[in-house]
Amino acid sequence: MFISPPFKEILPGWRKSIIDVATRPLLLSTTTHQTNKNLVTVKARIPSSSLGSLPYSLSTSHVSSLTSSSAFITTSATTTIVKPSKLSRRNYTAEKVRCGTSKQVAVVGAGAVGSTIALLTMMKNVASEILLVDKAKDFALGQTWDLADANIVNSTKVRQGTLKQAGQAEVIVIATGAKQQPGESRQQLIDRNYEMLKETIDGMQPIQKDGVMVLVTNPVDTLTLIAQNISGLPRNQVFGSGTYLDTCRLTVYLSDLFNISPSCIHAYVLGEHGDSQFIAWDAASIGGRPLNSFPEIRQLDKETVRLAIANKAMDIIDYKGSTYYGIGACGASICESILRNALNIRPLSVYVKEFDTVLSIPSKLGAKGIEQIMPVPLSPGEHKQLMESAATLRAIGERYQK
Ligand SMILES: NC(=O)C1=CN([C@@H]2O[C@H](COP(=O)(O)OP(=O)(O)OC[C@H]3O[C@@H](n4cnc5c(N)ncnc54)[C@H](O)[C@@H]3O)[C@@H](O)[C@H]2O)C=CC1
Ligand SMILES: CC(=O)C(=O)O
């Protein structure tokens, strides 16, 4: 008999069936009915605060008693027994998503970036709970209360958490640490943010083995490599936002140039989330037509476009001090892809064996993190830029190996 992983996790010792119940309940009792062996009654205690995130299969009508801290729910369900051979990988993750038991996102770093990711993730209604963690505890509490006030359209809970609790979340977003000052490069943050990352990951241990860790803190590629080395998670479960944000900037630029919806544009910025990034023009298309075949593109000075995209963060930082809306949207979209097992292709910071470093390549993203790296065809010039980006990142990464 197959026990779905969320139930294995939340109901230790439970060996009878899959039933369609609740969010992280503390199981009190289970009874199999005499007349119908497939009908099981479950009594469980859950925190009152998670009442609002009960899945569709349960409602407050199942609550048998309620105190300020606990709610007791009693429900009966018909068991479903699934043979492992019949359970494809896709069904397995779909089951995990459908059960709704495992949807906690921890955002470590409650500053401008972390709180924007939290807000936009909340608006997507994909997480049952968002944990906000910051070493500035009063600040994080204020951010938590403020974010909770935005919770008028869905059931995502927001609460302040600890690093230990963050280590148990399904998705762990790292957005702590120092940001660039005007004129400073991302790489110049490495020494300050390296120590912070080590402390953060140490504080989360033991990290639950199915957790997916998303690095946002800069320099994101090098910090992703370090997190892969020290977190204890498989590499595919630790990746960075990489050039996803640069790709969004390029898409918006092309959308304006062609007056076409961004959703019809397929074009990637790849390599380093930093100065050596490049645009994969050869593989880009609009509405299925190669981008390079458009006269508007043939007339462009492509290096000028590359520099404009690569320097956009610095331009924003010069004007307003930091960037957070763009990365907020990217971070929330990444959380959504994981929690919905959407299998979207995104340019993310991933370990590429061929280059022995972490850099951005289009990658398939689902419930288990990076499912597959999906390189695109590059022109000889673009391939050279990729090699240069890899060499830059490998040289920096080597200084910070364990
Ligand atoms: N990858 C990307 O595309 C982007 C990355 N970033 C990066 O995100 C990071 C955060 O930027 P902002 O939110 O604007 O900075 P911020 O200064 O607004 O917030 C940083 C937060 O981290 C907290 N913090 C610092 N050390 C900590 C520790 N050891 N443990 C827990 N919390 C700690 C601070 O208390 C602060 O609340 C920066 O490294 C920035 O460069 C920003 C934009 C885009
Ligand atoms: C700060 C940063 O990395 C960005 O906005 O691209």
Side-chain angles (χ1 to χ4, degrees):
M1 182 193 303
F2 177 80
I3 313 291
S4 77
F7 280 92
K8 246 188 192 162
E9 182 192 303
I10 60 177
L11 308 178
W14 175 246
R15 287 290 177 271
K16 284 199 170 68
S17 63
I18 295 171
I19 47 170
D20 206 9
V21 293
T23 54
R24 292 190 178 281
L26 172 65
L27 186 69
L28 296 181
S29 66
T30 60
T31 320
T32 309
H33 289 246
Q34 284 297 323
T35 46
N36 178 356
K37 294 285 181 211
N38 283 345
L39 195 66
V40 175
T41 296
V42 172
K43 187 167 184 195
R45 177 162 63 81
I46 62 168
S48 306
S49 59
S50 48
L51 267 183
S53 42
L54 287 178
Y56 63 90
S57 54
L58 284 176
S59 70
T60 43
S61 64
H62 293 89
V63 175
S64 50
S65 83
L66 178 62
T67 69
S68 59
S69 60
S70 294
F72 292 88
I73 52 167
T74 306
T75 185
S76 297
T78 310
T79 60
T80 317
I81 296 172
V82 187
K83 291 215 171 87
S85 57
K86 294 207 176 138
L87 200 70
S88 73
R89 180 175 160 66
R90 178 76 193 171
N91 287 341
Y92 162 105
T93 38
E95 185 71 18
K96 175 173 175 178
V97 171
R98 188 182 64 78
C99 285
T101 56
S102 298
K103 294 195 168 188
Q104 198 180 44
V105 174
V107 180
V108 186
V113 170
S115 61
T116 310
I117 293 174
L119 175 66
L120 298 181
T121 301
M122 204 164 110
M123 292 299 136
K124 285 179 179 287
N125 208 11
V126 288
S128 54
E129 184 170 68
I130 294 179
L131 276 187
L132 215 52
V133 184
D134 199 290
K135 69 171 185 188
K137 293 204 167 49
D138 287 354
F139 173 69
L141 187 59
Q143 289 284 62
T144 304
W145 287 347
D146 197 9
L147 279 165
D149 286 348
N151 197 11
I152 51 171
V153 286
N154 61 49
S155 56
T156 308
K157 300 293 172 202
V158 190
R159 70 176 170 92
Q160 186 174 16
T162 62
L163 280 177
K164 271 265 179 279
Q165 291 166 341
Q168 302 313 302
E170 280 64 44
V171 184
I172 305 164
V173 179
I174 310 275
T176 50
K179 62 186 176 207
Q180 294 154 269
Q181 298 305 311
E184 199 175 22
S185 76
R186 296 179 181 90
Q187 292 295 356
Q188 284 173 284
L189 298 172
I190 182 73
D191 287 325
R192 277 165 281 167
N193 287 345
Y194 172 63
E195 289 305 327
M196 176 285 303
L197 182 65
K198 279 205 311 185
E199 266 172 40
T200 301
I201 290 182
D202 278 359
M204 285 193 288
Q205 296 292 3
I207 298 172
Q208 73 121 333
K209 67 177 180 34
D210 296 325
V212 175
M213 186 180 287
V214 184
L215 275 291
V216 172
T217 303
N218 275 317
V220 68
D221 305 296
T222 307
L223 292 181
T224 300
L225 181 68
I226 293 162
Q228 289 181 345
N229 288 341
I230 66 178
S231 65
L233 293 172
R235 279 196 197 275
N236 68 299
Q237 287 170 223
V238 182
F239 60 90
S241 57
T243 54
Y244 187 15
L245 176 53
D246 310 281
T247 295
C248 292
R249 288 172 175 150
L250 174 67
T251 306
V252 168
Y253 167 81
L254 292 171
S255 162
D256 288 346
L257 183 68
F258 287 96
N259 195 26
I260 284 178
S261 160
S263 65
C264 302
I265 296 170
H266 290 95
Y268 294 117
V269 177
L270 301 177
E272 180 191 11
H273 176 56
D275 298 342
S276 69
Q277 63 183 236
F278 67 97
I279 298 171
W281 295 104
D282 249 28
S285 63
I286 294 186
R289 179 173 156 189
L291 193 61
N292 277 334
S293 70
F294 286 84
E296 292 92 328
I297 294 293
R298 287 205 293 268
Q299 284 156 19
L300 275 184
D301 177 353
K302 289 181 174 165
E303 179 58 10
T304 304
V305 178
R306 187 191 77 80
L307 286 172
I309 302 298
N311 292 332
K312 188 156 184 194
M314 284 318 294
D315 292 342
I316 299 172
I317 290 168
D318 281 346
Y319 280 98
K320 60 174 275 196
S322 65
T323 68
Y324 39 90
Y325 293 131
I327 188 61
C330 293
S333 155
I334 289 170
C335 291
E336 181 178 31
S337 293
I338 299 165
L339 293 174
R340 289 198 196 283
N341 191 32
L343 306 177
N344 294 123
I345 298 176
R346 306 284 186 233
L348 298 167
S349 300
V350 293
Y351 178 77
V352 184
K353 198 157 184 272
E354 182 188 346
F355 302 130
D356 188 26
T357 195
V358 162
L359 45 61
S360 284
I361 298 281
S363 304
K364 189 161 75 175
L365 178 61
K368 298 199 156 206
I370 303 297
E371 303 256 347
Q372 194 182 351
I373 294 178
M374 308 192 62
V376 289
L378 299 175
S379 70
E382 291 161 7
H383 189 257
K384 186 163 169 274
Q385 288 175 303
L386 176 64
M387 302 299 279
E388 285 165 5
S389 215
T392 306
L393 289 168
R394 198 168 43 248
I396 301 161
E398 275 164 8
R399 298 209 303 267
Y400 293 89
Q401 294 294 351
K402 267 205 274 198

